[in-house]
Amino acid sequence: MATSWHRVRPATTIDTGADTGADTIIQTAPVTDGGSETLVWVAQIFYFVFLMMVFIGQQPFASRTQDELVAMAEANDGSDLFKQALFIGFALLLTAVQLIRKQPLRYKFSFWPLAIMLVWFFITCTWGVDPFVSFKRAMQQLIVIYITFCALSLIGPQRLFDSLRAALIASLLICWISLPLTPNAVHPPSENDRALVGAWRGFFFHKNIAGAVMALTFIVCGNAWIDKRKWYYALFAVMAFVFVIGTKSKTSLALCVGMLAISNIYRGLSGNTQKRAILLLGLGFGMVGFLALYIAYQPTIERLFADPTAFTGRVSIWRVVLDYLADHPYLGSGFGAFWQVGAQSPSHDYLNQAFQMRTAHSHNGYLEIWVTTGPLGLIMLLISFLALPAYWFLTGSTRENQTLMVPAFAIWVFVMYQNLLETSFFDKDRQVWVIFLAAIATAHATFKARPRPVWNRRHLSNDREVAHD
């Protein structure tokens, strides 16, 4: 008997918070168990406190020279007992909440490419110059990622993103309040890098970190104002933008306005997959165009960027990485085992300028993963953080979920482009990396929860009989 398949209206997701094993369900219906609802709030508070601890760090407003900055980067190998106890404590607290609550989880982890990538990173630790240091740095990543997705499973993407926005706004207010209260909120004249002098940094360690976080605050608050039309979100967006200008962070200033504009174009295309595909292709060509310009104008760009006072001498730093890759093309140096691993750091054999002795990363997130985990690690990165999220944002955005998908999209694009000039992928517990993880987790959960069309089988013979009658 002949049959055909036809699509009916999208299935309405029954929002019970139950995990079907296939899809994530975002719970919007009220929770009937008061104790479980309390535990959800407890988990949300835990996650907010975790974010604030990551943003503020252990030594806010500390006065540090460039040499001290690099010394701290070198010492940041996972041996900080306080940080270990703090992160493990947050992970255990969230796990305990997960075990004792009665309601089903909001999210079931299924982002397996990220898990596989982490396994590969741990494997690469075995051939690092100091495997124990590499292992501790990889463990930091595992714990931070676990905390993010564990919180997501407990509180769902809406509460997760609300916590992120609240933490960003709290950080913005603290930074503004600190400017007239402490001179350490601005890079002092004693900085070795003269380009830093006078740049605002708030409680952050470096003006580039402050610039990136405040740019992301501008993007998130700007989108919140567009969605909710609350005047205070517009105020926070303006405050964040002015602070970005004060940081003198060129990369963040160039990206933040563009990302807000692009995210609103994306918002306007929520109902048109074809136009969203054109937008995503355009963004991809933009990244490819950056590389093409570098190849076409390499001598001019290298003269500009190689100057340590201009863009931190990025091209000369990239040359160190590329020279190493030319000699070691297959496996990389091992996760976290290229820069600042003591006197035996592989980078030391390829330095071409004295200032690079103080360099703590490649100033390019893609090169950093390539030089440490090899081409396989880079491919996994592109699949997990470029290709798959592009598919989520292409097919998973609807007018109902755009308040989550649009700001998550803006953060994703910002970090994808920022990593062409900075390193934030798997960068320990740094602020931009944790914000990016929250955006990726939100996007993945929202994508999985989107309504899907239902396909029914129709018997053609029965249709003919009805038509004949």
Side-chain angles (χ1 to χ4, degrees):
M1 182 179 295
T3 62
S4 69
W5 292 89
H6 69 284
R7 183 170 64 177
V8 297
R9 63 180 180 84
T12 301
T13 304
I14 305 300
D15 216 348
T16 62
D19 191 342
T20 63
D23 300 319
T24 302
I25 308 298
I26 303 174
Q27 182 167 352
T28 56
V31 181
T32 56
D33 189 295
S36 291
E37 178 68 8
T38 301
L39 289 176
V40 170
W41 279 105
V42 169
Q44 187 170 3
I45 292 170
F46 283 165
Y47 184 65
F48 172 80
V49 173
F50 165 74
L51 289 174
M52 292 305 300
M53 292 295 295
V54 167
F55 290 173
I56 296 175
Q58 296 169 238
Q59 295 179 293
F61 308 114
S63 178
R64 282 160 281 186
T65 65
Q66 184 76 0
D67 290 331
E68 290 170 329
L69 183 152
V70 176
M72 290 185 66
E74 184 175 358
N76 192 6
D77 60 0
S79 300
D80 188 325
L81 294 179
F82 176 79
K83 185 179 290 186
Q84 285 180 344
L86 179 69
F87 285 7
I88 293 173
F90 275 113
L92 291 177
L93 285 171
L94 289 171
T95 302
V97 173
Q98 193 173 82
L99 291 174
I100 64 178
R101 70 188 298 267
K102 299 177 182 179
Q103 291 292 327
L105 298 177
R106 266 72 168 175
Y107 170 86
K108 180 179 179 181
F109 183 83
S110 60
F111 191 13
W112 298 115
L114 176 59
I116 294 170
M117 183 163 49
L118 280 173
V119 171
W120 173 247
F121 287 176
F122 276 101
I123 292 174
T124 67
C125 292
T126 58
W127 56 75
V129 292
D130 191 334
F132 189 49
V133 169
S134 296
F135 177 78
K136 288 186 289 185
R137 288 175 173 173
M139 280 300 299
Q140 276 188 328
Q141 295 307 310
L142 178 62
I143 294 172
V144 169
I145 292 170
Y146 176 80
I147 289 172
T148 301
F149 281 90
C150 186
L152 175 65
S153 69
L154 289 166
I155 66 180
Q158 183 65 62
R159 288 177 182 263
L160 187 86
F161 203 83
D162 288 346
S163 298
L164 174 63
R165 184 170 58 239
L168 289 172
I169 292 172
S171 300
L172 170 68
L173 295 176
I174 295 171
C175 284
W176 268 105
I177 293 171
S178 70
L179 283 177
L181 296 181
T182 173
N184 290 335
V186 178
H187 280 285
S190 59
E191 290 282 2
N192 287 351
D193 185 351
R194 306 311 298 171
L196 298 179
V197 176
W200 297 359
R201 66 183 180 103
F203 60 71
F204 294 100
F205 187 75
H206 192 278
K207 63 102 174 174
N208 284 345
I209 300 173
V213 175
M214 291 300 102
L216 291 170
T217 305
F218 167 74
I219 292 169
V220 169
C221 290
N223 277 293
W225 176 76
I226 292 169
D227 288 325
K228 303 176 185 296
R229 296 297 175 179
K230 302 291 186 180
W231 65 268
Y232 46 83
Y233 286 126
L235 175 62
F236 294 146
V238 172
M239 292 172 63
F241 183 71
V242 174
F243 205 95
V244 174
I245 296 174
T247 65
K248 302 180 183 179
S249 181
K250 304 176 186 69
T251 303
S252 297
L253 183 59
L255 286 175
C256 65
V257 176
M259 294 307 104
L260 182 62
I262 288 172
S263 66
N264 281 285
I265 295 173
Y266 178 79
R267 173 188 280 104
L269 301 178
S270 292
N272 193 311
T273 302
Q274 290 77 15
K275 291 181 179 179
R276 285 202 305 268
I278 295 173
L279 175 63
L280 288 167
L281 286 173
L283 293 171
F285 283 129
M287 297 182 71
V288 174
F290 176 88
L291 298 177
L293 285 174
Y294 170 64
I295 295 172
Y297 298 97
Q298 184 174 357
T300 303
I301 293 174
E302 289 194 359
R303 283 196 300 271
L304 173 64
F305 280 69
D307 181 358
T309 64
F311 298 97
T312 325
R314 280 175 173 80
V315 170
S316 67
I317 295 171
W318 298 343
R319 177 54 56 193
V320 174
V321 175
L322 295 173
D323 288 346
Y324 178 86
L325 287 170
D327 294 338
H328 307 81
Y330 302 116
L331 296 177
S333 64
F335 182 79
F338 186 71
W339 305 97
Q340 303 299 340
V341 199
Q344 55 187 344
S345 299
S347 61
H348 288 182
D349 295 332
Y350 296 86
L351 301 183
N352 52 63
Q353 294 192 41
F355 82 94
Q356 294 166 354
M357 287 294 295
R358 301 193 301 269
T359 301
H361 57 82
S362 302
H363 282 281
N364 183 298
Y366 304 97
L367 284 180
E368 182 75 14
I369 295 300
W370 189 3
V371 77
T372 54
T373 63
L376 182 57
L378 178 61
I379 292 171
M380 290 181 178
L381 175 79
L382 296 177
I383 292 173
S384 298
F385 291 153
L386 191 62
L388 288 177
Y391 178 70
W392 307 339
F393 290 120
L394 175 64
T395 62
S397 178
T398 66
R399 299 198 181 279
E400 291 72 26
N401 67 22
Q402 66 180 14
T403 57
L404 287 176
M405 290 296 274
V406 171
F409 173 80
I411 293 173
W412 173 68
V413 177
F414 179 96
V415 175
M416 289 296 106
Y417 272 83
Q418 188 221 26
N419 272 276
L420 294 171
L421 295 173
E422 299 287 352
T423 298
S424 56
F425 293 136
F426 296 96
D427 188 16
K428 308 177 182 68
D429 58 330
R430 296 296 173 86
Q431 295 87 346
V432 175
W433 168 236
V434 174
I435 294 169
F436 178 71
L437 276 178
I440 287 293
T442 297
H444 188 228
T446 307
F447 163 77
K448 291 179 65 180
R450 75 196 191 285
R452 292 174 172 82
V454 176
W455 292 83
N456 287 344
R457 186 168 63 179
R458 177 186 299 162
H459 295 284
L460 295 182
S461 59
N462 293 341
D463 293 343
R464 295 191 189 98
E465 292 172 2
V466 172
H468 179 72
D469 293 339

